[in-house]
Amino acid sequence: MKMSKMFVQTLREFPSDAEVVSHKMLARAGYIKKLTSGVYNYMPLMWRVLKKIENIVRDEMDKAGAQELLMPFVQPKELWEESGRWDAYGRELMRLKDRHDRVMCLGPTHEEIITALARDVLKSYKQLPVNLYQIQSKFRDEVRPRYGLLRGREFIMKDAYSFDTSQEGLNKEYENMAKAYTNIFNRCGLPTKMVQSDSGAIGGSVSHEFMVITDTDAGENDVFYCDDCDYSANSNHAVSKLLPAEVDGAKYFTKTEVIDTPNTHSIEELSKFLNIPSTLILKTLVYIVDKKPVLALIRADKAVEETKLMNAVGGVEIRIASSAEIAELMADKGFDAVPGFIGPNGMDGITIIADETVRDMKNFVVGINKTDRHLVGANLSDIPAIENYVDIRLVEAGELCPQCGRPLKVTKGIEVGNIFQLGTKYSKPMKAFYLDENGKAQPYIMGCYGIGISRTAAAAVEAHHDEHGIKWPISIAPYHVVIVPVNIKDELQMKVAGEMYEKLLSAGVEVVLDDRDERAGVKFKDADLIGFPFRVTVGKTINDGLVEYKVRETGEVLTLKPEEAVEKLTDIILSK
RNA sequence: CGGGAUGUGGCGCAGCUUGGUAGCGCACCUCGCUUGGGACGAGGGGGUCGCACGUUCAAAUCGUGUCAUCCCGACCA
């Protein structure tokens, strides 16, 4: 490729709307151009990177025994009604109508389509197991698209679906995919951590996410992990053993009574006012799950993990209640209390979920739905009976590993892939059955496996860059080498550069010749920004028969004869 | 959706307070000069100032509405 003909425009400055480093770099280096919020043009350089990633994914998926196919973007509403997700998926689903007013959507994922396809084709146990995958654009009308390619509304994803006759078969395939995923990300130059996670809107029981660990804002997930064993989990799923805490308030309260606690709207104010640790306060939070209020009870020094709470209620959408909604709830129940004084008593008909931390509390403090008052010295017999305690607690770093008891640590992660055990979540409602050895209809045992292709590219930039630009791993770089003749009017420089270009090309190296009539500085800046793994500079030293060879990743510089440089590059690149 | 902000050539911005018919840097085109880390000089092209309505002799500037974009919170590849 001649640089003078490349469809690319690098910018002197970072675009003002880019926040994270991958977005800034990709936009400035001419890889992407935004069309509208969360929707990007992939320029030729970007498309080459994406194809490289796709091909690594294909190679590993094929090796793992999966078969590639391609399903439509456009999907009919009816299939989504069969699975029950037309309503459950919510506003993230991009919906549209055709000219006959038939309702369709743009696929955010393809469980419905693949299940419908499988039930038509996979009629016998003899045809199973099968794993099918595709690579295509997906559409999710994200509430808040951001961070460039990391969270778009249209993005490229590899999604795979497995069909088995037994849980054992699924377990095996799940392991198989986990291995393939580890290989894929390693080959992309992206070490990942496989962490336990909540299965969210996709559904199912067991699921893991592949996280690229980062210390920047681009990591939108908190990952808790243990250095002493293999435990790691997304914060929406992490569990821990608590550190010892004072949970019996007997030494502060000699009897159970209602007392005045003026202006104690926060836990901090209340514990200061009563001069007790917050571990002796029972906190009551009001959430709205699927439009209905839910009370969450938890020891006040701990925070609620909303995904856990939502799962405990069995809902699909959760948010903390607004003060207006709380006021409405209070009025409805005949109370006059503001947040800070809410409690579980008298909340007939409202779902109450209590965290496990509540179980051991004795002689504690609790709100009683009266502003400026609390009940102190209370015990579990003083509040509505709790049938079962569930874990709705957000884990904190320093709490103890559930497996080995050592302190947990926390870090940020970018989720680039995940794997789910779906079981019969789709096959049963969609009546996707095969006939077993006895001629009996059985639902498929399914798994699904996703990789964000475009997100992986962005994550690679997050992981590999410096202040000058991108430092692509060789395996996914758009080109391997850029050759920079310093002065294109110098005949010898151009001749040698041209010869090296041809030799590298015919050897199978992906090479760009920067034949633009620009000063050397401009070409060097662009080479660093775009992130070619290797640069060969043909300058004045060519008069002594030498060129400069430079490695982007390490900054290593060698002065070599042109043929030596060609040989070295060919060896390194073709061995990868 | 709640909270905050911003819309002026491809990119980054000024002008708006105090209305008078659009400017700077980069990029782009031409010529000259220069050629190892984003040179220099001269000339040139490109914007109905997001959109609509209103106020006014006159609106980028004031008012109302609307759309879009970005940031902070709940989602997920």
Side-chain angles (χ1 to χ4, degrees):
Chain A
M1 183 73 214
K2 303 275 177 67
M3 197 68 188
S4 60
K5 296 294 177 197
M6 189 183 285
F7 185 64
V8 65
Q9 181 186 37
T10 59
L11 306 173
R12 289 287 177 103
E13 289 161 287
F14 291 114
S16 61
D17 62 356
E19 190 72 10
V20 299
V21 74
S22 62
H23 187 193
K24 287 182 178 178
M25 294 280 180
L26 290 171
R28 182 170 165 197
Y31 283 80
I32 57 174
K33 283 278 272 181
K34 186 172 74 181
L35 179 62
T36 183
S37 177
V39 179
Y40 293 85
N41 289 296
Y42 303 125
M43 304 292 274
L45 283 171
M46 190 75 238
W47 186 233
R48 288 182 70 96
V49 172
L50 294 170
K51 283 192 294 185
K52 293 260 176 103
I53 296 171
E54 287 185 12
N55 285 335
I56 291 171
V57 169
R58 278 199 179 89
D59 188 51
E60 292 294 334
M61 290 301 290
D62 290 348
K63 274 189 201 157
Q67 299 176 59
E68 185 172 3
L69 49 56
L70 184 59
M71 291 178 271
F73 303 125
V74 178
Q75 309 181 359
K77 176 187 183 189
E78 289 72 20
L79 279 180
W80 285 75
E81 285 177 330
E82 274 191 51
S83 70
R85 285 208 295 183
W86 183 256
D87 295 321
Y89 212 94
R91 287 200 301 268
E92 211 175 287
L93 193 59
M94 290 218 190
R95 297 160 209 249
L96 58 137
K97 281 182 183 171
D98 71 8
R99 63 165 66 191
H100 305 293
D101 276 347
R102 279 194 294 251
V103 183
M104 331 281 277
C105 65
L106 295 178
T109 174
H110 279 66
E111 282 80 10
E112 281 76 7
I113 312 307
I114 196 84
T115 304
L117 193 55
R119 72 184 170 193
D120 284 347
V121 178
L122 302 173
K123 305 282 197 191
S124 161
Y125 71 95
K126 293 175 196 163
Q127 296 169 285
L128 299 172
V130 169
N131 190 335
L132 301 165
Y133 77 97
Q134 63 173 349
I135 298 174
Q136 65 164 190
S137 293
K138 292 282 189 279
F139 302 85
R140 294 186 190 174
D141 200 355
E142 292 283 347
V143 190
R144 185 142 112 77
R146 60 175 163 180
Y147 298 160
L149 260 34
L150 285 171
R151 178 171 300 280
R153 294 195 294 173
E154 176 175 338
F155 58 98
I156 301 175
M157 177 170 158
K158 185 281 303 183
D159 47 324
Y161 306 87
S162 69
F163 300 85
D164 271 279
T165 58
S166 67
Q167 180 62 41
E168 294 70 48
L170 173 57
N171 290 343
K172 211 173 132 199
E173 186 58 17
Y174 193 78
E175 284 300 310
N176 185 33
M177 284 293 109
K179 236 176 257 154
Y181 272 39
T182 304
N183 293 343
I184 287 167
F185 294 121
N186 284 341
R187 282 179 65 183
C188 291
L190 271 182
T192 49
K193 201 181 252 297
M194 175 168 151
V195 310
Q196 298 176 16
S197 72
D198 180 70
S199 45
I202 308 288
S205 47
V206 178
S207 81
H208 287 83
E209 294 167 337
F210 287 77
M211 296 282 189
V212 174
I213 301 304
T214 165
D215 55 359
T216 67
D217 283 349
E220 296 186 272
N221 299 270
D222 286 322
V223 176
F224 290 93
Y225 66 99
C226 177
D227 276 335
D228 296 283
C229 73
D230 64 354
Y231 182 78
S232 62
N234 189 313
S235 59
N236 65 20
H237 197 73
V239 295
S240 67
K241 291 179 192 157
L242 288 171
L243 297 165
E246 187 174 9
V247 293
D248 185 344
K251 81 177 191 200
Y252 301 96
F253 308 112
T254 51
K255 60 178 177 179
T256 308
E257 60 180 334
V258 174
I259 64 166
D260 287 339
T261 53
N263 296 315
T264 55
H265 297 275
S266 69
I267 296 297
E268 198 184 335
E269 287 165 337
L270 182 59
S271 75
K272 200 175 277 178
F273 179 84
L274 294 171
N275 199 24
I276 55 166
S278 56
T279 50
L280 293 175
I281 301 168
L282 177 62
K283 179 163 66 175
T284 306
L285 297 165
V286 185
Y287 282 87
I288 305 293
V289 178
D290 297 347
K291 302 194 169 75
K292 284 191 296 207
V294 169
L295 294 191
L297 307 185
I298 190 165
R299 208 175 77 193
D301 60 315
K302 297 299 170 189
V304 167
E305 185 1 86
E306 297 188 354
T307 303
K308 288 184 180 179
L309 174 60
M310 185 175 77
N311 290 341
V313 182
V316 296
E317 204 178 330
I318 187 168
R319 61 184 170 79
I320 192 103
S322 66
S323 46
E325 285 164 330
I326 292 174
E328 194 180 324
L329 175 66
M330 287 296 109
D332 193 41
K333 296 295 170 193
F335 294 123
D336 179 23
V338 296
F341 306 92
I342 310 296
N345 288 314
M347 291 289 183
D348 305 335
I350 303 295
T351 305
I352 298 177
I353 303 288
D355 182 68
E356 286 170 344
T357 51
V358 174
R359 185 181 1 223
D360 298 325
M361 295 180 73
K362 294 189 176 67
N363 300 299
F364 54 82
V365 177
V366 62
I368 48 164
N369 301 315
K370 285 188 187 135
T371 297
D372 290 345
R373 309 202 113 190
H374 279 88
L375 179 66
V376 303
N379 282 287
L380 295 176
S381 54
D382 298 312
I383 62 173
I386 292 160
E387 284 163 26
N388 57 333
Y389 296 88
V390 292
D391 173 21
I392 55 169
R393 177 171 57 89
L394 178 65
V395 168
E396 291 171 55
E399 292 172 359
L400 307 178
C401 173
Q403 287 182 14
C404 74
R406 304 286 303 158
L408 287 173
K409 294 181 175 173
V410 67
T411 185
K412 295 276 187 187
I414 301 170
E415 183 194 349
V416 288
N418 68 13
I419 54 180
F420 297 93
Q421 293 201 1
L422 297 173
T424 58
K425 181 179 159 77
Y426 295 91
S427 50
K428 265 189 184 162
M430 295 185 67
K431 299 185 174 57
F433 303 133
Y434 65 96
L435 295 178
D436 68 11
E437 296 90 324
N438 304 314
K440 202 175 151 213
Q442 303 282 4
Y444 309 119
I445 313 293
M446 293 173 56
C448 79
Y449 317 90
I451 290 180
I453 302 286
S454 40
R455 181 182 282 181
T456 297
V461 177
E462 292 289 335
H464 302 286
H465 69 271
D466 62 15
E467 69 272 27
H468 302 294
I470 304 171
K471 304 201 280 191
W472 290 112
I474 295 173
S475 60
I476 61 172
Y479 290 91
H480 300 129
V481 182
V482 62
I483 298 175
V484 179
V486 168
N487 182 351
I488 67 163
K489 298 198 173 78
D490 182 307
E491 281 181 29
L492 183 58
Q493 288 183 22
M494 283 308 282
K495 179 168 169 284
V496 173
E499 285 167 1
M500 292 182 74
Y501 175 69
E502 293 299 335
K503 277 184 195 153
L504 287 168
L505 266 189
S506 56
V509 171
E510 296 168 22
V511 56
V512 170
L513 178 63
D514 195 345
D515 59 339
R516 293 176 299 169
D517 186 10
E518 291 286 354
R519 294 166 66 87
V522 173
K523 299 188 192 184
F524 292 157
K525 289 284 184 192
D526 277 345
D528 288 347
L529 183 61
I530 290 170
F532 301 102
F534 300 97
R535 189 182 85 198
V536 174
T537 307
V538 184
K540 281 182 186 138
T541 57
I542 196 58
N543 295 321
D544 303 321
L546 296 171
V547 300
E548 180 193 272
Y549 160 101
K550 186 170 187 187
V551 182
R552 177 76 177 89
E553 171 67 29
T554 61
E556 179 191 7
V557 175
L558 297 175
T559 305
L560 301 172
K561 291 178 187 163
E563 56 273 24
E564 290 172 338
V566 168
E567 193 182 335
K568 193 172 176 64
L569 287 166
T570 310
D571 285 351
I572 293 175
I573 290 156
L574 299 185
S575 71
K576 293 279 172 179

